Amino acid sequence: MLSALIWIPILGSALIGFWPRAVSSKIVRNLALAMAGITLILSVILAAQFDLNASQLQFAEFLPWIDVLGLNYNLGVDGLSLPLVILNALLTGVAIYSTDESIRRPRIYYSLILLIMGGVNGAFLAQNLLLFFLFFEVELIPLYLLIAIWGGERRGYAATKFLIYTAFAGIVLLASFLGTVWLSGASSFDIVGAVGASHLQGALPLPLVRQIVLLAGVLLAFGIKMPLVPFHTWLPDAHVEASTPVSVLLAGVLLKLGTYGMLRFGLGLFPDAWAVAAPWLASWAVVSVLYGASCAIAQKDMKKMVAYSSIAHMGYILLASAAATPVSMLGTVLQMVSHGLISALLFLTVGVVYRKSGSRNLDVLRGLFNPDRGLPMIGSLMILGVMASAGIPGLAGFIAEFLVFRGSLQVFPVQTLLCMIGTGLTSVYFLIMVNRAFFGRLSDLVVSLPQVRWGDRIPSLVLAVIIVIMGVQPGVIVALSEKTAIAMVANVPPQVNAIAQNLP
Protein backbone atom coordinates (compact mmCIF):
# COMPACT_ATOMS: atom_id res chain seq x y z
CA MET A 1 0.00 0.00 0.00
CA LEU A 2 2.75 2.49 0.94
CA SER A 3 4.73 1.73 -2.20
CA ALA A 4 1.63 2.42 -4.29
CA LEU A 5 1.41 5.93 -2.84
CA ILE A 6 4.94 6.57 -4.11
CA TRP A 7 5.12 4.72 -7.38
CA ILE A 8 1.68 5.37 -8.89
CA PRO A 9 2.46 9.10 -9.30
CA ILE A 10 6.04 8.39 -10.43
CA LEU A 11 4.94 5.81 -13.00
CA GLY A 12 2.20 8.20 -14.11
CA SER A 13 4.88 10.85 -14.55
CA ALA A 14 6.97 8.50 -16.69
CA LEU A 15 3.92 7.44 -18.72
CA ILE A 16 2.98 11.03 -19.51
CA GLY A 17 6.53 12.21 -20.12
CA PHE A 18 7.69 9.35 -22.35
CA TRP A 19 4.51 8.51 -24.26
CA PRO A 20 5.76 7.94 -27.81
CA ARG A 21 2.97 9.77 -29.63
CA ALA A 22 1.50 13.26 -29.43
CA VAL A 23 -1.33 13.53 -26.91
CA SER A 24 -3.79 16.37 -26.47
CA SER A 25 -3.46 18.64 -23.46
CA LYS A 26 -6.90 17.59 -22.19
CA ILE A 27 -6.04 13.88 -22.18
CA VAL A 28 -2.75 14.52 -20.39
CA ARG A 29 -4.49 16.67 -17.80
CA ASN A 30 -7.18 14.06 -17.17
CA LEU A 31 -4.58 11.30 -16.86
CA ALA A 32 -2.57 13.32 -14.32
CA LEU A 33 -5.77 14.11 -12.41
CA ALA A 34 -6.66 10.40 -12.38
CA MET A 35 -3.24 9.50 -10.94
CA ALA A 36 -3.63 12.10 -8.19
CA GLY A 37 -7.19 10.92 -7.53
CA ILE A 38 -6.16 7.27 -7.22
CA THR A 39 -3.40 8.23 -4.80
CA LEU A 40 -5.84 10.30 -2.73
CA ILE A 41 -8.29 7.39 -2.55
CA LEU A 42 -5.54 5.00 -1.48
CA SER A 43 -4.36 7.40 1.21
CA VAL A 44 -7.91 7.72 2.57
CA ILE A 45 -8.24 3.92 2.59
CA LEU A 46 -4.95 3.77 4.47
CA ALA A 47 -6.33 6.21 7.05
CA ALA A 48 -9.47 4.09 7.43
CA GLN A 49 -7.32 1.03 8.19
CA PHE A 50 -4.94 2.92 10.50
CA ASP A 51 -4.84 1.72 14.12
CA LEU A 52 -5.66 4.83 16.16
CA ASN A 53 -4.44 3.27 19.40
CA ALA A 54 -0.91 2.53 18.17
CA SER A 55 1.95 5.01 18.25
CA GLN A 56 4.44 2.88 16.36
CA LEU A 57 4.93 2.75 12.62
CA GLN A 58 2.30 0.85 10.69
CA PHE A 59 2.05 -0.85 7.27
CA ALA A 60 5.85 -1.21 7.28
CA GLU A 61 7.63 -2.36 4.13
CA PHE A 62 11.27 -3.45 4.01
CA LEU A 63 13.42 -4.52 1.09
CA PRO A 64 17.24 -4.79 1.24
CA TRP A 65 18.80 -2.56 -1.37
CA ILE A 66 22.51 -1.59 -1.15
CA ASP A 67 23.88 -3.25 1.98
CA VAL A 68 27.37 -1.80 1.65
CA LEU A 69 25.90 1.71 1.94
CA GLY A 70 23.33 0.83 4.59
CA LEU A 71 20.60 1.91 2.17
CA ASN A 72 17.38 -0.09 2.34
CA TYR A 73 13.91 0.42 0.96
CA ASN A 74 12.31 0.92 4.37
CA LEU A 75 8.85 2.50 4.61
CA GLY A 76 6.38 3.12 7.42
CA VAL A 77 3.61 5.52 8.38
CA ASP A 78 2.40 6.98 11.67
CA GLY A 79 0.22 9.82 12.92
CA LEU A 80 2.82 12.41 11.92
CA SER A 81 3.22 11.37 8.29
CA LEU A 82 -0.26 10.07 7.39
CA PRO A 83 -2.09 13.46 7.49
CA LEU A 84 0.67 14.95 5.34
CA VAL A 85 0.39 12.14 2.78
CA ILE A 86 -3.34 12.82 2.47
CA LEU A 87 -2.68 16.57 2.22
CA ASN A 88 -0.12 15.98 -0.52
CA ALA A 89 -2.54 13.95 -2.63
CA LEU A 90 -5.37 16.45 -2.14
CA LEU A 91 -3.36 19.55 -3.01
CA THR A 92 -1.68 17.88 -5.98
CA GLY A 93 -5.13 17.14 -7.37
CA VAL A 94 -6.17 20.74 -6.71
CA ALA A 95 -3.04 22.04 -8.45
CA ILE A 96 -3.64 19.86 -11.52
CA TYR A 97 -7.33 20.78 -11.71
CA SER A 98 -6.64 24.52 -11.38
CA THR A 99 -4.03 24.52 -14.15
CA ASP A 100 -4.97 26.37 -17.33
CA GLU A 101 -6.01 23.81 -19.97
CA SER A 102 -4.04 25.70 -22.62
CA ILE A 103 -0.76 25.57 -20.73
CA ARG A 104 2.42 25.27 -22.80
CA ARG A 105 4.23 21.91 -22.90
CA PRO A 106 1.53 20.08 -20.93
CA ARG A 107 3.25 16.69 -20.96
CA ILE A 108 6.38 18.00 -19.26
CA TYR A 109 4.35 20.15 -16.87
CA TYR A 110 2.06 17.41 -15.56
CA SER A 111 4.90 14.90 -15.53
CA LEU A 112 6.91 17.17 -13.22
CA ILE A 113 3.98 17.70 -10.86
CA LEU A 114 3.37 13.95 -10.52
CA LEU A 115 7.09 13.36 -9.97
CA ILE A 116 7.04 15.88 -7.11
CA MET A 117 3.99 14.16 -5.64
CA GLY A 118 5.69 10.76 -5.62
CA GLY A 119 8.92 12.16 -4.22
CA VAL A 120 7.17 14.00 -1.39
CA ASN A 121 5.20 10.88 -0.44
CA GLY A 122 8.45 8.92 -0.45
CA ALA A 123 10.04 11.42 1.91
CA PHE A 124 7.08 11.29 4.30
CA LEU A 125 7.13 7.48 4.35
CA ALA A 126 10.89 6.75 4.30
CA GLN A 127 12.38 5.16 7.43
CA ASN A 128 15.95 5.16 6.18
CA LEU A 129 18.00 8.36 6.30
CA LEU A 130 19.54 7.90 2.85
CA LEU A 131 16.18 6.91 1.35
CA PHE A 132 14.63 10.05 2.84
CA PHE A 133 17.45 12.14 1.41
CA LEU A 134 16.95 10.67 -2.07
CA PHE A 135 13.23 11.43 -2.04
CA PHE A 136 13.91 14.84 -0.43
CA GLU A 137 16.11 15.73 -3.40
CA VAL A 138 13.75 14.32 -6.05
CA GLU A 139 11.51 17.38 -5.92
CA LEU A 140 14.37 19.87 -6.32
CA ILE A 141 14.89 19.88 -10.10
CA PRO A 142 11.18 19.43 -11.03
CA LEU A 143 10.18 22.45 -8.92
CA TYR A 144 13.08 24.45 -10.36
CA LEU A 145 11.82 23.68 -13.86
CA LEU A 146 8.20 24.47 -12.98
CA ILE A 147 9.26 27.95 -11.86
CA ALA A 148 11.87 28.52 -14.57
CA ILE A 149 9.67 27.47 -17.52
CA TRP A 150 6.14 28.47 -16.47
CA GLY A 151 6.94 31.34 -14.09
CA GLY A 152 6.72 35.13 -14.39
CA GLU A 153 9.11 37.72 -15.81
CA ARG A 154 11.87 37.12 -13.23
CA ARG A 155 11.40 33.37 -13.20
CA GLY A 156 15.06 32.63 -13.95
CA TYR A 157 16.26 34.59 -10.94
CA ALA A 158 13.63 33.11 -8.59
CA ALA A 159 14.21 29.54 -9.78
CA THR A 160 18.00 29.83 -9.47
CA LYS A 161 17.72 31.32 -6.00
CA PHE A 162 15.44 28.48 -4.93
CA LEU A 163 17.86 25.94 -6.38
CA ILE A 164 20.90 27.40 -4.60
CA TYR A 165 19.22 27.62 -1.20
CA THR A 166 17.64 24.17 -1.27
CA ALA A 167 20.70 22.50 -2.79
CA PHE A 168 22.81 23.91 0.05
CA ALA A 169 20.21 22.61 2.52
CA GLY A 170 20.55 19.17 0.95
CA ILE A 171 24.34 19.21 1.31
CA VAL A 172 24.11 20.16 4.98
CA LEU A 173 21.45 17.51 5.58
CA LEU A 174 23.50 14.76 3.95
CA ALA A 175 26.55 15.75 5.98
CA SER A 176 24.50 15.58 9.18
CA PHE A 177 23.11 12.16 8.29
CA LEU A 178 26.55 10.79 7.41
CA GLY A 179 28.00 12.25 10.59
CA THR A 180 25.24 10.68 12.67
CA VAL A 181 25.93 7.20 11.29
CA TRP A 182 29.72 7.56 11.50
CA LEU A 183 29.84 8.95 15.05
CA SER A 184 27.23 6.56 16.43
CA GLY A 185 28.70 3.46 14.78
CA ALA A 186 25.32 2.52 13.30
CA SER A 187 25.22 -0.52 11.03
CA SER A 188 22.84 1.13 8.54
CA PHE A 189 20.80 4.25 7.92
CA ASP A 190 17.59 2.49 8.99
CA ILE A 191 15.54 4.20 11.71
CA VAL A 192 14.37 1.90 14.49
CA GLY A 193 11.44 2.84 16.71
CA ALA A 194 8.71 5.44 16.45
CA VAL A 195 9.35 9.16 16.22
CA GLY A 196 10.42 10.56 19.58
CA ALA A 197 11.95 7.23 20.60
CA SER A 198 13.89 6.49 17.42
CA HIS A 199 17.52 5.65 16.81
CA LEU A 200 19.61 4.23 14.01
CA GLN A 201 20.04 0.49 13.70
CA GLY A 202 23.02 -0.63 15.77
CA ALA A 203 23.81 2.91 16.95
CA LEU A 204 25.51 3.68 20.25
CA PRO A 205 24.38 6.63 22.39
CA LEU A 206 26.03 9.89 21.35
CA PRO A 207 27.57 12.37 23.82
CA LEU A 208 25.54 15.54 24.23
CA VAL A 209 28.08 17.78 22.49
CA ARG A 210 28.04 15.62 19.35
CA GLN A 211 24.26 15.53 19.44
CA ILE A 212 24.16 19.33 19.53
CA VAL A 213 26.53 19.64 16.54
CA LEU A 214 24.54 17.15 14.46
CA LEU A 215 21.24 18.70 15.48
CA ALA A 216 22.54 22.11 14.39
CA GLY A 217 23.10 20.74 10.88
CA VAL A 218 19.64 19.20 10.76
CA LEU A 219 18.02 22.43 11.98
CA LEU A 220 19.94 24.51 9.43
CA ALA A 221 18.90 22.24 6.55
CA PHE A 222 15.24 22.10 7.48
CA GLY A 223 15.23 25.76 8.61
CA ILE A 224 16.09 26.68 5.01
CA LYS A 225 13.39 24.39 3.68
CA MET A 226 10.59 25.63 5.97
CA PRO A 227 11.85 28.48 5.67
CA LEU A 228 12.73 30.39 8.83
CA VAL A 229 14.30 33.83 9.16
CA PRO A 230 17.03 34.60 7.99
CA PHE A 231 16.95 31.77 5.42
CA HIS A 232 13.56 32.82 4.04
CA THR A 233 14.43 35.17 1.19
CA TRP A 234 14.03 32.56 -1.54
CA LEU A 235 10.38 31.92 -0.71
CA PRO A 236 8.70 35.28 -1.57
CA ASP A 237 10.57 35.44 -4.88
CA ALA A 238 9.63 31.86 -5.73
CA HIS A 239 5.96 32.46 -4.93
CA VAL A 240 5.71 35.72 -6.86
CA GLU A 241 7.22 34.23 -10.02
CA ALA A 242 5.62 30.77 -9.79
CA SER A 243 2.25 30.03 -11.36
CA THR A 244 -0.73 29.63 -9.05
CA PRO A 245 -0.78 25.78 -9.06
CA VAL A 246 2.94 25.67 -8.30
CA SER A 247 2.47 28.13 -5.42
CA VAL A 248 -0.27 25.84 -4.06
CA LEU A 249 2.17 22.93 -4.01
CA LEU A 250 5.07 24.99 -2.70
CA ALA A 251 3.23 26.48 0.29
CA GLY A 252 0.78 23.66 0.91
CA VAL A 253 3.09 20.64 0.66
CA LEU A 254 6.76 21.30 0.00
CA LEU A 255 7.32 23.54 3.02
CA LYS A 256 6.03 20.67 5.15
CA LEU A 257 9.10 18.64 4.20
CA GLY A 258 11.01 21.06 6.41
CA THR A 259 8.67 20.87 9.39
CA TYR A 260 8.29 17.09 9.09
CA GLY A 261 12.04 16.55 8.81
CA MET A 262 12.72 18.78 11.79
CA LEU A 263 10.41 16.67 13.95
CA ARG A 264 11.31 13.25 12.57
CA PHE A 265 15.08 13.67 12.48
CA GLY A 266 15.72 16.55 14.88
CA LEU A 267 13.47 15.85 17.81
CA GLY A 268 13.36 12.12 17.04
CA LEU A 269 17.08 11.34 16.81
CA PHE A 270 18.55 13.95 19.20
CA PRO A 271 16.08 14.39 22.09
CA ASP A 272 18.77 15.38 24.64
CA ALA A 273 20.22 18.04 22.36
CA TRP A 274 16.70 19.18 21.52
CA ALA A 275 16.04 19.87 25.21
CA VAL A 276 19.16 22.04 25.38
CA ALA A 277 18.35 23.91 22.17
CA ALA A 278 14.63 24.32 22.93
CA PRO A 279 14.80 27.84 24.47
CA TRP A 280 16.81 29.10 21.52
CA LEU A 281 14.40 27.46 19.07
CA ALA A 282 11.47 29.16 20.79
CA SER A 283 13.22 32.52 20.46
CA TRP A 284 13.96 31.76 16.79
CA ALA A 285 10.24 31.10 16.35
CA VAL A 286 9.40 34.53 17.77
CA VAL A 287 11.76 36.21 15.30
CA SER A 288 10.23 34.37 12.33
CA VAL A 289 6.66 35.06 13.42
CA LEU A 290 7.09 38.78 14.07
CA TYR A 291 9.42 39.43 11.14
CA GLY A 292 7.23 37.53 8.68
CA ALA A 293 4.09 39.30 9.86
CA SER A 294 5.77 42.73 9.77
CA CYS A 295 7.02 42.17 6.22
CA ALA A 296 3.55 41.03 5.15
CA ILE A 297 2.04 44.31 6.36
CA ALA A 298 4.43 46.28 4.13
CA GLN A 299 3.61 44.42 0.90
CA LYS A 300 1.65 45.79 -2.04
CA ASP A 301 1.62 42.51 -3.99
CA MET A 302 -1.15 40.22 -2.71
CA LYS A 303 0.83 37.09 -3.51
CA LYS A 304 3.92 38.34 -1.71
CA MET A 305 1.78 39.13 1.32
CA VAL A 306 0.50 35.56 1.46
CA ALA A 307 4.08 34.29 1.02
CA TYR A 308 5.32 36.25 4.03
CA SER A 309 2.35 35.00 6.05
CA SER A 310 3.63 31.46 5.43
CA ILE A 311 6.98 32.38 6.98
CA ALA A 312 5.18 33.65 10.07
CA HIS A 313 3.03 30.53 10.38
CA MET A 314 6.06 28.25 10.12
CA GLY A 315 7.28 29.99 13.26
CA TYR A 316 4.26 28.68 15.16
CA ILE A 317 5.30 25.13 14.28
CA LEU A 318 8.83 25.77 15.51
CA LEU A 319 7.50 27.18 18.80
CA ALA A 320 5.30 24.15 19.42
CA SER A 321 8.12 21.78 18.50
CA ALA A 322 10.48 23.51 20.92
CA ALA A 323 7.95 23.21 23.77
CA ALA A 324 7.75 19.45 23.14
CA THR A 325 4.56 18.78 25.09
CA PRO A 326 1.89 16.32 23.92
CA VAL A 327 -0.56 19.16 23.28
CA SER A 328 1.95 21.29 21.38
CA MET A 329 3.01 18.31 19.26
CA LEU A 330 -0.60 17.69 18.34
CA GLY A 331 -0.75 21.38 17.47
CA THR A 332 2.20 21.03 15.08
CA VAL A 333 0.39 18.37 13.06
CA LEU A 334 -2.84 20.36 12.89
CA GLN A 335 -0.92 23.53 12.06
CA MET A 336 0.86 21.82 9.18
CA VAL A 337 -2.41 20.53 7.75
CA SER A 338 -4.40 23.72 8.33
CA HIS A 339 -1.67 25.93 6.89
CA GLY A 340 -1.50 23.72 3.82
CA LEU A 341 -5.23 24.05 3.21
CA ILE A 342 -5.47 27.77 4.04
CA SER A 343 -2.42 28.87 2.06
CA ALA A 344 -3.63 26.85 -0.94
CA LEU A 345 -7.03 28.57 -0.76
CA LEU A 346 -5.44 32.02 -0.53
CA PHE A 347 -3.07 31.42 -3.45
CA LEU A 348 -5.93 30.06 -5.56
CA THR A 349 -8.13 33.10 -4.94
CA VAL A 350 -5.23 35.53 -5.49
CA GLY A 351 -4.53 33.67 -8.74
CA VAL A 352 -8.10 34.16 -9.94
CA VAL A 353 -7.95 37.86 -9.08
CA TYR A 354 -4.72 38.23 -11.07
CA ARG A 355 -6.00 36.24 -14.03
CA LYS A 356 -9.25 38.24 -14.27
CA SER A 357 -7.98 41.73 -13.41
CA GLY A 358 -4.38 41.52 -14.64
CA SER A 359 -2.99 42.86 -11.36
CA ARG A 360 -2.14 41.87 -7.78
CA ASN A 361 -1.15 45.40 -6.76
CA LEU A 362 -3.20 46.77 -3.86
CA ASP A 363 -2.70 50.29 -5.20
CA VAL A 364 -4.52 49.29 -8.39
CA LEU A 365 -7.25 46.94 -7.17
CA ARG A 366 -10.39 48.23 -5.47
CA GLY A 367 -14.07 47.35 -5.24
CA LEU A 368 -13.82 43.73 -6.41
CA PHE A 369 -16.87 42.89 -4.29
CA ASN A 370 -18.97 44.71 -6.89
CA PRO A 371 -21.81 42.23 -7.52
CA ASP A 372 -22.21 43.16 -11.19
CA ARG A 373 -18.69 43.70 -12.51
CA GLY A 374 -16.47 42.38 -9.72
CA LEU A 375 -15.55 39.02 -8.17
CA PRO A 376 -17.96 38.63 -5.23
CA MET A 377 -17.69 34.85 -4.77
CA ILE A 378 -13.90 34.84 -5.03
CA GLY A 379 -13.84 37.68 -2.53
CA SER A 380 -16.04 35.71 -0.14
CA LEU A 381 -13.77 32.67 -0.40
CA MET A 382 -10.71 34.81 0.18
CA ILE A 383 -12.28 36.33 3.29
CA LEU A 384 -12.95 32.84 4.62
CA GLY A 385 -9.29 31.94 4.03
CA VAL A 386 -8.19 35.17 5.72
CA MET A 387 -10.40 34.47 8.74
CA ALA A 388 -9.02 30.93 8.99
CA SER A 389 -5.43 32.18 8.79
CA ALA A 390 -6.14 34.74 11.52
CA GLY A 391 -7.45 32.01 13.83
CA ILE A 392 -11.14 32.83 13.88
CA PRO A 393 -13.06 30.14 15.89
CA GLY A 394 -14.93 27.60 13.82
CA LEU A 395 -12.24 27.38 11.15
CA ALA A 396 -9.17 25.16 10.81
CA GLY A 397 -6.63 27.80 11.80
CA PHE A 398 -8.18 28.36 15.21
CA ILE A 399 -7.91 24.85 16.62
CA ALA A 400 -4.36 24.49 15.27
CA GLU A 401 -3.12 27.74 16.79
CA PHE A 402 -5.01 27.14 20.03
CA LEU A 403 -3.26 23.80 20.55
CA VAL A 404 0.10 25.34 19.64
CA PHE A 405 -0.27 28.16 22.15
CA ARG A 406 -1.92 26.05 24.84
CA GLY A 407 0.79 23.42 24.67
CA SER A 408 3.66 25.95 24.54
CA LEU A 409 2.49 28.45 27.15
CA GLN A 410 3.46 26.35 30.17
CA VAL A 411 7.02 25.86 28.89
CA PHE A 412 7.79 29.16 27.14
CA PRO A 413 5.30 31.75 28.41
CA VAL A 414 7.15 34.84 27.13
CA GLN A 415 7.88 33.44 23.68
CA THR A 416 4.32 32.14 23.35
CA LEU A 417 2.82 35.52 24.22
CA LEU A 418 5.07 37.22 21.69
CA CYS A 419 4.04 34.71 19.02
CA MET A 420 0.41 35.37 19.87
CA ILE A 421 1.03 38.96 18.79
CA GLY A 422 1.70 37.50 15.36
CA THR A 423 -1.88 36.26 15.25
CA GLY A 424 -3.07 39.83 15.76
CA LEU A 425 -0.72 41.04 13.04
CA THR A 426 -2.15 38.38 10.72
CA SER A 427 -5.53 40.03 11.10
CA VAL A 428 -3.96 43.41 10.36
CA TYR A 429 -2.21 42.59 7.08
CA PHE A 430 -5.01 40.44 5.70
CA LEU A 431 -7.57 43.10 6.66
CA ILE A 432 -5.47 45.61 4.73
CA MET A 433 -5.46 43.30 1.70
CA VAL A 434 -9.20 42.59 1.74
CA ASN A 435 -10.18 46.18 2.49
CA ARG A 436 -8.08 47.67 -0.30
CA ALA A 437 -8.82 45.08 -2.97
CA PHE A 438 -12.48 44.26 -2.41
CA PHE A 439 -14.23 47.21 -0.77
CA GLY A 440 -15.00 50.67 -2.09
CA ARG A 441 -15.84 51.65 -5.64
CA LEU A 442 -14.54 49.49 -8.46
CA SER A 443 -11.23 50.92 -9.65
CA ASP A 444 -11.23 52.72 -12.99
CA LEU A 445 -8.08 50.77 -13.85
CA VAL A 446 -9.93 47.47 -13.49
CA VAL A 447 -13.21 47.38 -15.37
CA SER A 448 -15.31 44.82 -17.23
CA LEU A 449 -13.79 41.82 -15.48
CA PRO A 450 -14.34 38.48 -17.26
CA GLN A 451 -16.83 36.16 -15.61
CA VAL A 452 -15.35 33.54 -13.28
CA ARG A 453 -16.15 30.04 -14.50
CA TRP A 454 -17.21 27.29 -12.10
CA GLY A 455 -14.00 25.48 -13.01
CA ASP A 456 -12.10 28.33 -11.34
CA ARG A 457 -14.32 28.22 -8.28
CA ILE A 458 -14.52 24.49 -7.56
CA PRO A 459 -10.96 24.00 -6.16
CA SER A 460 -11.40 26.96 -3.81
CA LEU A 461 -14.86 25.77 -2.75
CA VAL A 462 -13.55 22.29 -1.96
CA LEU A 463 -10.76 23.69 0.21
CA ALA A 464 -13.15 26.11 1.91
CA VAL A 465 -15.51 23.27 2.85
CA ILE A 466 -12.64 21.20 4.27
CA ILE A 467 -11.36 24.19 6.26
CA VAL A 468 -14.80 24.67 7.82
CA ILE A 469 -15.25 20.95 8.56
CA MET A 470 -11.80 20.72 10.12
CA GLY A 471 -12.54 23.79 12.24
CA VAL A 472 -15.87 22.48 13.48
CA GLN A 473 -14.82 18.84 13.84
CA PRO A 474 -11.02 18.46 14.10
CA GLY A 475 -11.42 15.09 15.82
CA VAL A 476 -10.46 13.09 12.72
CA ILE A 477 -6.92 14.46 12.55
CA VAL A 478 -6.64 14.55 16.34
CA ALA A 479 -7.51 10.84 16.48
CA LEU A 480 -4.94 10.02 13.77
CA SER A 481 -2.12 11.92 15.46
CA GLU A 482 -2.79 11.85 19.20
CA LYS A 483 -0.81 8.70 20.05
CA THR A 484 2.07 9.75 17.85
CA ALA A 485 2.12 13.22 19.43
CA ILE A 486 2.50 11.63 22.87
CA ALA A 487 5.25 9.33 21.59
CA MET A 488 7.12 12.27 20.05
CA VAL A 489 7.91 13.76 23.44
CA ALA A 490 8.38 10.51 25.37
CA ASN A 491 12.19 10.67 25.19
CA VAL A 492 12.65 14.43 25.51
CA PRO A 493 14.23 15.04 28.95
CA PRO A 494 11.86 16.76 31.37
CA GLN A 495 14.55 19.30 32.20
CA VAL A 496 13.40 21.30 29.17
CA ASN A 497 10.87 22.87 31.50
CA ALA A 498 13.51 23.73 34.06
CA ILE A 499 15.78 25.21 31.40
CA ALA A 500 13.00 27.39 30.11
CA GLN A 501 12.02 28.61 33.55
CA ASN A 502 15.61 29.53 34.46
CA LEU A 503 16.12 31.73 31.40
CA PRO A 504 16.69 35.39 32.29
Side-chain angles (χ1 to χ4, degrees):
M1 178 71 83
L2 300 188
S3 292
L5 297 175
I6 300 171
W7 296 108
I8 286 177
I10 292 178
L11 292 176
S13 172
L15 179 64
I16 291 173
F18 296 103
W19 192 259
R21 293 180 295 176
V23 184
S24 69
S25 176
K26 185 176 181 180
I27 293 177
V28 172
R29 179 175 181 269
N30 290 339
L31 180 58
L33 195 59
M35 294 295 176
I38 292 171
T39 308
L40 177 59
I41 292 171
L42 289 177
S43 63
V44 173
I45 293 173
L46 190 72
Q49 298 175 352
F50 189 78
D51 184 358
L52 302 179
N53 295 317
S55 61
Q56 68 270 20
L57 294 169
Q58 301 182 41
F59 306 101
E61 298 180 14
F62 182 87
L63 182 66
W65 191 359
I66 307 177
D67 290 336
V68 67
L69 294 180
L71 172 60
N72 296 306
Y73 184 76
N74 189 357
L75 304 178
V77 67
D78 60 9
L80 174 61
S81 53
L82 182 54
L84 298 178
V85 169
I86 298 173
L87 179 69
N88 182 29
L90 173 65
L91 294 187
T92 301
V94 167
I96 293 171
Y97 187 87
S98 59
T99 298
D100 190 345
E101 293 183 2
S102 60
I103 191 169
R104 298 177 294 113
R105 304 175 185 175
R107 289 174 60 179
I108 300 176
Y109 175 85
Y110 292 115
S111 178
L112 293 175
I113 286 184
L114 289 176
L115 183 58
I116 290 175
M117 181 187 188
V120 170
N121 274 347
F124 287 148
L125 299 174
Q127 302 303 318
N128 179 283
L129 294 184
L130 276 186
L131 186 64
F132 172 85
F133 176 78
L134 293 176
F135 282 123
F136 182 80
E137 292 292 289
V138 159
E139 52 84 22
L140 182 61
I141 297 303
L143 188 59
Y144 166 81
L145 294 174
L146 286 171
I147 298 173
I149 298 175
W150 292 275
E153 293 182 1
R154 300 177 70 243
R155 58 186 179 272
Y157 167 78
T160 302
K161 192 173 183 179
F162 160 79
L163 184 64
I164 292 172
Y165 269 80
T166 50
F168 176 74
I171 293 172
V172 174
L173 182 64
L174 181 59
S176 299
F177 284 172
L178 292 174
T180 302
V181 171
W182 177 52
L183 293 174
S184 66
S187 57
S188 76
F189 287 88
D190 287 328
I191 302 172
V192 180
V195 61
S198 55
H199 58 277
L200 296 182
Q201 188 175 45
L204 299 174
L206 286 171
L208 181 59
V209 174
R210 292 183 179 181
Q211 281 195 39
I212 292 174
V213 172
L214 295 169
L215 176 62
V218 171
L219 290 173
L220 174 60
F222 291 123
I224 293 173
K225 191 69 177 180
M226 289 175 64
L228 298 168
V229 175
F231 311 114
H232 66 286
T233 58
W234 65 268
L235 183 66
D237 291 325
H239 272 307
V240 168
E241 300 305 323
S243 63
T244 297
V246 175
S247 286
V248 168
L249 290 178
L250 179 56
V253 177
L254 295 175
L255 298 189
K256 308 308 177 293
L257 284 175
T259 55
Y260 171 83
M262 181 180 62
L263 292 171
R264 178 72 70 185
F265 307 112
L267 174 63
L269 292 178
F270 311 109
D272 296 327
W274 189 272
V276 175
W280 306 103
L281 296 179
S283 300
W284 192 7
V286 172
V287 173
S288 287
V289 169
L290 296 182
Y291 182 85
S294 300
C295 287
I297 292 175
Q299 302 308 311
K300 300 293 186 180
D301 188 312
M302 297 171 71
K303 203 172 187 184
K304 210 165 191 177
M305 185 179 288
V306 179
Y308 274 108
S309 77
S310 291
I311 296 170
H313 282 80
M314 292 299 100
Y316 298 145
I317 296 176
L318 181 61
L319 172 68
S321 304
T325 65
V327 175
S328 71
M329 288 295 103
L330 191 57
T332 61
V333 178
L334 266 71
Q335 181 67 21
M336 285 189 280
V337 175
S338 67
H339 174 264
L341 297 171
I342 294 167
S343 62
L345 174 59
L346 291 173
F347 278 118
L348 283 174
T349 51
V350 169
V352 173
V353 169
Y354 179 67
R355 197 160 61 248
K356 299 301 180 182
S357 67
S359 177
R360 298 190 302 258
N361 193 327
L362 294 177
D363 291 335
V364 174
L365 299 172
R366 189 173 65 250
L368 295 180
F369 255 134
N370 187 297
D372 297 323
R373 296 180 295 145
L375 306 170
M377 179 173 285
I378 293 300
S380 300
L381 292 170
M382 179 174 286
I383 287 179
L384 186 142
V386 164
M387 293 169 63
S389 185
I392 300 299
L395 299 173
F398 169 75
I399 184 63
E401 291 180 10
F402 177 80
L403 291 175
V404 166
F405 296 143
R406 177 64 184 86
S408 304
L409 186 62
Q410 62 193 27
V411 183
F412 299 116
V414 175
Q415 291 93 328
T416 301
L417 291 173
L418 289 173
C419 285
M420 291 174 71
I421 296 174
T423 301
L425 294 177
T426 301
S427 303
V428 171
Y429 58 73
F430 277 142
L431 181 61
I432 291 173
M433 181 177 73
V434 171
N435 184 55
R436 290 186 181 180
F438 288 92
F439 291 95
R441 294 183 58 186
L442 191 65
S443 173
D444 294 334
L445 300 176
V446 181
V447 294
S448 302
L449 297 179
Q451 186 176 5
V452 180
R453 300 179 296 108
W454 274 104
D456 296 323
R457 298 170 178 169
I458 288 176
S460 298
L461 285 170
V462 170
L463 292 177
V465 170
I466 296 174
I467 288 170
V468 173
I469 292 174
M470 183 177 165
V472 175
Q473 183 53 268
V476 175
I477 297 180
V478 170
L480 282 177
S481 305
E482 184 175 11
K483 296 299 181 181
T484 301
I486 296 172
M488 279 193 228
V489 300
N491 273 23
V492 178
Q495 60 262 32
V496 65
N497 295 342
I499 293 171
Q501 293 169 2
N502 289 330
L503 282 178

